[in-house]
Amino acid sequence: YARAHPGRYAAARLRLDPQTAAGSAGVRHSQMTRAILRGYDLSEPDETHAVRMLGSVFHGFVDLELSGGFSHSAPDSQQSWTRVLDALDALLRNWPAPT
């Protein structure tokens, strides 16, 4: 989505007032992310921490990729993305206990 619609993606990152945010796609996006995380059996507040982590990783990778940050060296960014997803899965399977 970010590659196909970079302007829309950038606009989706803008802060909204609470009423607008409550009716936005952001709520559905969060629900979708939480649905993906159900398989990892995280309880609160760890599930919220995981949602934030995934959002941060996804946004950071997309932002760097769109700005050309990965175009100057090998391997291909798609290979890195696959490794990132594998690493996230390993982390979520072994989520650290609260300290």
Side-chain angles (χ1 to χ4, degrees), residues 5-22:
H5 309 285
R8 287 185 200 166
Y9 180 77
R13 310 302 307 166
L14 300 175
R15 173 173 258 171
L16 301 173
D17 63 82
Q19 183 178 357
T20 303

Side-chain angles (χ1 to χ4, degrees), residues 12-74:
R13 310 302 307 166
L14 300 175
R15 173 173 258 171
L16 301 173
D17 63 82
Q19 183 178 357
T20 303
S24 74
V27 174
R28 291 188 309 278
H29 181 79
S30 176
Q31 291 169 342
M32 177 193 67
T33 304
R34 288 177 187 278
I36 291 166
L37 291 172
R38 278 190 209 122
Y40 295 102
D41 199 30
L42 299 174
S43 58
E44 283 299 336
D46 289 330
E47 185 177 277
T48 296
H49 295 315
V51 167
R52 291 173 179 171
M53 177 192 67
L54 292 176
S56 298
V57 171
F58 297 165
H59 173 68
F61 195 95
V62 165
D63 189 51
L64 288 167
E65 187 175 42
L66 289 177
S67 67
F70 301 141
S71 62
H72 62 280
S73 63

